[in-house]
Amino acid sequence: MQIVTAELRPCRQRQADPGWKFARATVAELQGWVIILTDAEGVAGLGYCHAIPAITTHGPGAEAALHFLRPLLIGRDPAEAGAIMDLVEATLVGNRSVKAAIDMALHDLLARRANLPLSALLGGRFRESIPQSRILPIKAPAEMAQSAAALVAKGYRTLKLKLAGDAVLDGRRVAEVRAAVGGEVALTLDPNQSYSAKGFLSAWRQMERHDIALVEQPVPAGDWAGLALVTRSLPVPIEADESVETIADVLRVVEGRVADVVNLKLTKLGGVRNFVTAARILEAGQVATRMGAAFGPALLQGASAHAAASLRQLPFACELSEHDHILDDPFTPLPITDGMIAVPPGPGCGIVYA
């Protein structure tokens, strides 16, 4: 059954906190896009194009790329998703979040057509719910501690602290958050590339006493030797995020044991198909996987939950509940209960317009 329409809808969302900040940018709003692929029988599949300039792309650029690629989709059968995505790859370089939206919509359409949950197309589920970690944006130490206590009161048992590359101030952030939440809450750290390798090894001396569960991307994305040095030097699991944007990057991590964990995101890798490939490579190489932040509407949350459910091993909490502080969601979000998100039953990713 051929695709007959490919509709684009803007998905502009404000942050509840317009000063929400990480090491590389302040993110006041998200300017994403939803693509809706509808076949001749009226079955529609939805995909989300993530657009944050400091992370993926910006809204007008994403819109232009989607318009450019849209003619490639009309008249094609989504059952040929692999061939369609190969054509998309050959037609436009880069633009992984744009390609992720198209790939997501193709898979959502296929799953809805078959009346199956998206996870069934990924090999089936290994779990029915996903443990969640909440992110603490960069603030003064006391503010981060206050926010941490509020999140724990809501039932979250894993928190991730954004750090800024200032060893003294970051050390205070970690210390005050730990004091506020007690010893039963898992803390992970994300400097977002703000340290050199030796700089983070030095800063770690002020942080290790606070029982850290994981450190995400402490060094610049291109500093593979530095990331490997930190991984070899510290007893805590080190996660690669910005360093891994392609399947080739995933393979490089496995071959060189550059990191202990890889942060997977549908929007970063270019969609569902590449996610499955990356997950299998990491599984074979015995490198752990984790679903990173789904910054966007509930559509992205639902698709990411299905992807996380398909992972054989999921040793760390994921970040699929960040929609909680993002406003103007056109979709109905998944509920969060005691820091857990239940995987929606489907069909497709199980998300509908509110």
Side-chain angles (χ1 to χ4, degrees):
M1 193 64 62
Q2 295 178 334
I3 296 168
V4 294
T5 64
E7 178 187 357
L8 300 182
R9 294 185 187 178
C11 185
R12 190 163 188 160
Q13 296 180 266
R14 297 165 296 153
Q15 289 267 28
D17 172 14
W20 199 101
K21 181 181 180 181
F22 71 119
R24 294 177 9 241
T26 298
V27 182
E29 66 176 12
L30 290 68
Q31 298 182 16
W33 291 87
V34 174
I35 184 168
I36 306 172
L37 303 180
T38 305
D39 69 15
E41 290 190 346
V43 181
L46 309 177
Y48 174 69
C49 177
H50 184 273
I52 298 177
I55 301 175
T56 47
T57 186
H58 62 84
E63 181 185 16
L66 286 165
H67 276 294
F68 177 70
L69 294 170
R70 187 163 57 175
L72 304 180
L73 310 176
I74 304 300
R76 298 298 298 265
D77 188 335
E80 303 169 349
I84 294 171
M85 292 310 300
D86 280 353
L87 178 59
V88 166
E89 287 284 358
T91 302
L92 183 65
V93 71
N95 288 277
R96 283 183 295 276
S97 65
V98 170
K99 294 169 182 176
I102 295 171
D103 181 82
M104 188 188 307
L106 289 169
H107 282 84
D108 189 47
L109 175 52
L110 284 171
R112 290 177 189 270
R113 182 188 285 177
N115 198 32
L116 291 172
L118 177 60
S119 52
L121 302 188
L122 311 184
R125 301 187 196 183
F126 287 94
R127 57 194 59 80
E128 296 299 321
S129 59
I130 312 295
Q132 296 301 299
S133 172
R134 282 298 299 273
I135 298 173
L136 297 172
I138 294 172
K139 303 281 186 184
E143 289 181 88
M144 291 179 72
Q146 184 178 19
S147 297
L151 289 170
V152 171
K154 288 184 175 182
Y156 293 98
R157 290 297 174 263
T158 301
L159 302 175
K160 183 169 85 172
L161 287 70
K162 292 290 191 180
L163 303 181
D166 181 327
V168 174
L169 192 53
D170 284 344
R172 285 181 51 204
R173 291 182 170 108
V174 175
E176 293 198 26
V177 168
R178 174 56 78 196
V181 302
E184 298 302 314
V185 175
L187 297 184
T188 69
L189 309 179
D190 185 7
N192 282 114
Q193 312 178 62
S194 59
Y195 284 91
S196 67
K198 288 193 175 181
F200 187 75
L201 292 177
S202 177
W204 177 250
R205 298 170 189 167
Q206 301 183 54
M207 303 172 185
E208 61 181 333
R209 71 193 73 172
H210 301 297
D211 189 22
I212 305 304
L214 176 145
V215 176
E216 178 182 336
Q217 197 69 48
V219 302
D223 186 7
W224 286 79
L227 184 60
L229 174 62
V230 174
T231 299
R232 291 194 304 269
S233 301
L234 299 185
V236 66
I238 304 300
E239 180 179 82
D241 180 13
E242 291 93 337
S243 289
V244 178
E245 295 189 337
T246 67
I247 298 301
D249 293 335
V250 172
L251 186 59
R252 185 174 179 180
V253 169
V254 170
E255 289 178 333
R257 280 296 187 198
V258 177
D260 304 298
V261 187
V262 169
N263 184 310
L264 297 180
K265 300 170 188 168
L266 298 179
T267 54
K268 178 176 69 170
L269 286 169
V272 174
R273 183 178 66 153
N274 286 349
F275 166 83
V276 171
T277 301
R280 298 296 175 262
I281 292 171
L282 292 167
E283 180 184 330
Q286 300 183 40
V287 174
T289 55
R290 192 173 71 87
M291 291 298 295
F295 272 107
L299 175 61
L300 179 58
Q301 180 197 29
S304 298
H306 277 278
S310 75
L311 295 170
R312 181 173 278 107
Q313 301 293 331
L314 194 64
F316 300 100
C318 299
E319 296 162 4
L320 311 184
S321 53
E322 291 304 308
H323 68 285
D324 195 44
H325 61 83
I326 302 174
L327 308 176
D328 313 313
D329 195 334
F331 299 95
T332 302
L334 301 177
I336 306 164
T337 305
D338 295 327
M340 302 284 287
I341 284 180
V343 183
C349 65
I351 301 295
V352 297
Y353 274 101

